[in-house]
Amino acid sequence: MTDMMRRWEMDGIGRDRLALRERPIPVPARHEVLVKVAAVSLNHRDKMVIESGRGLALDFPFTPGSDLAGRIVATGDNVKRFAVGDRVISCFTPEWIDGARAGTARTPAYRTLGGFFAGVLAEYVVLPEEWLAAAPAKLDDAEASTLPCAALTAWFALVERGGVRAGDTVLIRGTGGVALFGLQIAKLHGATVLVSCSPEKIDRVLALGADHAIDRYDTHGLEALYTLTYDRGADHILETVGGAYLGQSVQAAAVGGRIYQIGALDGFDITSPAMPLMIKDVTILGIGTGNRRALEDMVRAVARTGMTPVIDRRFPLADLPNALDRLGAGRSARA
């Protein structure tokens, strides 16, 4: 192992301020481990941080990226959870181990890798041992790297908060990373899954196991959902779009249904008619990924069931700009 590595750094906001630089390989301190990064999964959040900063107080030079899979190659003193040679994945919200999320009503916490803490788009990173979970043995590095954010978000919504079970109906909006994991997780629990997506993606989601697909641009899409569910509606809805789509989800929800507000691709100001929300006793849950304990539970479930993440394309580290372009075109990407 040489003394130098490559790492993506931003010295300001914008794609033009992003550069791949050589830096010394960091040395782990007490309770820290050195991870040789094997794969990094990109999320839309990463692209937004690079291009707009998302209003976050970034400490420049800043390394973006949150989701890694890799192998521990060195440890600092008093490391107890892992040993050299162990395969690990990162935790998106690394300080959230279990229980309620940190923060207050005035100041909600958003201390994430690649958004508050320095990220993982590098050949090596040093992280506290508590910020990592064991990687599932049956997934390769690229597959394992998709779990910390997209997969955990869907799992935390449907399993942790929703208790999805056989016989439930789940409506999923879109075909992004969270949506596709939601499809797989819901099917693993025996639910009937409907996906609302662009017409050119209908065949894809049906091939991945969706029971029904609805053209998101069809003005009669809500009626199609009512027909497919015999007017019951959806027990669980993964709302990944935001904006006025929340109102459509309220209309689609079953009596006593749950909506998991996850994404904001259509805007952070969400709207809904109040009457069906109240009369149908609909619960809206805001989901911001999940804690490490839930991630570890999900990893065990992945190992038992053989669930395999869907990856659109893989890129070498130096090709991050093209991976971001691919992500911007509405695809998932792995770097």
Side-chain angles (χ1 to χ4, degrees), residues 93-205:
T93 310
E95 298 169 313
W96 188 11
I97 305 301
D98 199 356
R101 189 168 187 154
T104 66
R106 183 188 299 274
T107 311
Y110 191 65
R111 292 162 63 96
T112 64
L113 285 179
F116 177 86
F117 301 107
V120 299
L121 276 164
E123 291 180 317
Y124 293 87
V125 295
V126 159
L127 295 171
E129 62 174 327
E130 296 290 337
W131 292 15
L132 298 163
K138 293 183 180 180
L139 297 186
D140 67 26
D141 293 319
E143 292 167 342
S145 75
T146 66
L147 301 181
C149 181
L152 180 59
T153 299
W155 177 274
F156 206 75
L158 291 171
V159 180
E160 287 282 326
R161 295 291 187 248
V164 66
R165 58 191 179 187
D168 287 350
T169 297
V170 178
L171 171 63
I172 295 172
R173 294 198 181 279
T175 56
V178 174
L180 294 183
F181 274 116
L183 164 58
Q184 293 179 289
I185 290 166
K187 292 301 295 182
L188 285 178
H189 286 80
T192 298
V193 179
L194 291 73
V195 177
S196 172
C197 61
S198 303
E200 66 273 12
K201 298 180 179 178
I202 287 177
D203 289 342
R204 182 188 187 205
V205 298

Side-chain angles (χ1 to χ4, degrees), residues 14-310:
R15 290 273 293 269
D16 60 329
R17 309 297 293 273
L18 187 65
L20 184 61
R21 300 190 174 106
E22 278 207 349
R23 296 294 186 215
I25 294 174
V27 177
R30 186 182 177 89
H31 299 303
E32 292 182 337
V33 297
L34 176 65
V35 179
K36 184 177 183 180
V37 179
V40 174
S41 180
L42 296 181
N43 303 294
H44 282 282
R45 193 288 304 256
D46 302 319
K47 185 173 181 290
M48 294 168 70
V49 168
I50 292 169
E51 295 179 350
S52 70
R54 287 193 76 184
L56 301 170
L58 305 180
D59 186 14
F60 298 111
F62 185 79
T63 297
S66 59
D67 297 8
L68 71 75
R71 192 175 297 275
I72 293 174
V73 293
T75 63
D77 291 338
N78 291 97
V79 169
K80 302 183 185 303
R81 297 185 66 240
F82 299 105
V84 170
D86 287 348
R87 290 181 69 234
V88 292
I89 56 176
S90 55
C91 297
F92 182 82
T93 310
E95 298 169 313
W96 188 11
I97 305 301
D98 199 356
R101 189 168 187 154
T104 66
R106 183 188 299 274
T107 311
Y110 191 65
R111 292 162 63 96
T112 64
L113 285 179
F116 177 86
F117 301 107
V120 299
L121 276 164
E123 291 180 317
Y124 293 87
V125 295
V126 159
L127 295 171
E129 62 174 327
E130 296 290 337
W131 292 15
L132 298 163
K138 293 183 180 180
L139 297 186
D140 67 26
D141 293 319
E143 292 167 342
S145 75
T146 66
L147 301 181
C149 181
L152 180 59
T153 299
W155 177 274
F156 206 75
L158 291 171
V159 180
E160 287 282 326
R161 295 291 187 248
V164 66
R165 58 191 179 187
D168 287 350
T169 297
V170 178
L171 171 63
I172 295 172
R173 294 198 181 279
T175 56
V178 174
L180 294 183
F181 274 116
L183 164 58
Q184 293 179 289
I185 290 166
K187 292 301 295 182
L188 285 178
H189 286 80
T192 298
V193 179
L194 291 73
V195 177
S196 172
C197 61
S198 303
E200 66 273 12
K201 298 180 179 178
I202 287 177
D203 289 342
R204 182 188 187 205
V205 298
L206 292 174
L208 289 172
D211 295 281
H212 306 283
I214 300 172
D215 183 347
R216 62 175 294 191
Y217 301 117
D218 187 347
T219 56
H220 301 292
L222 184 59
E223 285 298 324
L225 179 136
Y226 290 157
T227 298
L228 289 168
T229 62
Y230 302 97
D231 282 351
R232 175 181 172 81
D235 301 295
H236 308 267
I237 301 176
L238 285 189
E239 179 48 71
T240 63
V241 183
Y245 281 88
L246 175 62
Q248 296 182 27
S249 290
V250 169
Q251 297 281 5
V255 173
R258 295 185 173 215
I259 299 171
Y260 312 99
Q261 184 61 52
I262 294 168
L265 296 176
D266 201 47
F268 284 95
D269 294 325
I270 56 180
T271 59
S272 169
M275 190 61 73
L277 177 66
M278 295 184 294
I279 292 177
K280 292 199 289 184
D281 190 24
V282 173
T283 300
I284 300 175
L285 295 160
I287 303 294
T289 62
N291 54 47
R292 193 190 78 197
R293 192 268 310 151
L295 177 63
E296 292 169 336
D297 288 348
M298 184 187 69
V299 166
R300 285 191 289 271
V302 169
R304 288 196 303 268
T305 62
M307 187 179 79
T308 303
V310 178

